[in-house]
Amino acid sequence: MNGNRKYSTELADIIMKNFSVGQMRRYVYFDKIPRLIFHLKKTGQELEDYKKMDEVLGKFKGNLEWGVFQCPRSKVNYMISPLKWEEIERGKDFKGEEHLKEDIQYLSLLEQAVLDYDLLIEYLDANPDFCTDGGYHAM
């Protein structure tokens, strides 16, 4: 890992504390749109858990609207990110984030998402609805 890149594992920690995770890329980097890519273990409850996550994320009041959705190029992974990022990634002309680094709209989205991140962590950490059983539990 590049030691010069700013990153966080706080979002991953909250997800792992409250849900049964199958796989996850734990690092949320701040030199690109903050997002967490993961999938839950197949328990028969995972679709309801994704829905619950999305409902709680949808109530977050930040600069951007956030949610959880299936990754555009994956059959199993989901992503927590700004909804605007989902729209960009699903676009037919999307060629990768590295091609957007000079785009003023992308840079504005990046700035707003980074500003939201700490507030989102506080919101999720304090929200008893953001877990599988309505209260925190250890994995």
Side-chain angles (χ1 to χ4, degrees), residues 5 23 46 54 59 65 86 96 108 110 114 116 131 139:
R5 291 181 80 185
Q23 183 177 0
E46 68 275 7
D54 195 53
K59 294 176 185 173
E65 295 178 20
E86 175 191 16
S108 175
L110 173 61
V114 169
D116 271 358
C131 62
M139 292 274 106

Side-chain angles (χ1 to χ4, degrees), residues 65-78:
E65 295 178 20
W66 290 71
V68 62
F69 54 90
Q70 191 165 11
C71 292
R73 283 162 285 291
S74 173
K75 293 180 181 179
V76 297
N77 289 329
Y78 282 72

Side-chain angles (χ1 to χ4, degrees), residues 78-132:
Y78 282 72
M79 179 184 307
I80 293 175
S81 77
L83 295 181
K84 181 69 176 163
W85 182 245
E86 175 191 16
E87 182 182 312
I88 291 169
E89 271 211 47
R90 290 196 189 282
K92 64 179 178 145
D93 297 329
F94 182 71
K95 294 177 177 67
E97 193 166 1
E98 63 278 0
H99 296 284
L100 299 171
K101 295 289 184 178
E102 303 298 320
D103 183 279
I104 193 74
Q105 291 178 333
Y106 167 82
L107 294 172
S108 175
L109 178 63
L110 173 61
E111 180 180 15
Q112 292 176 52
V114 169
L115 288 171
D116 271 358
Y117 184 80
D118 286 336
L119 297 173
L120 180 67
I121 296 305
E122 289 175 20
Y123 167 76
L124 294 177
D125 202 33
N127 194 318
D129 293 329
F130 197 72
C131 62
T132 55

Side-chain angles (χ1 to χ4, degrees), residues 14-15 17-19 40 45-60 68 80 120-137:
I14 290 171
I15 298 296
K17 178 170 71 172
N18 294 296
F19 296 93
L40 300 176
Q45 179 65 30
E46 68 275 7
L47 292 179
E48 285 300 314
D49 288 343
Y50 290 125
K51 183 179 176 183
K52 183 182 293 190
M53 284 182 204
D54 195 53
E55 288 172 0
V56 172
L57 287 163
K59 294 176 185 173
F60 171 66
V68 62
I80 293 175
L120 180 67
I121 296 305
E122 289 175 20
Y123 167 76
L124 294 177
D125 202 33
N127 194 318
D129 293 329
F130 197 72
C131 62
T132 55
D133 64 5
Y136 290 128
H137 62 278

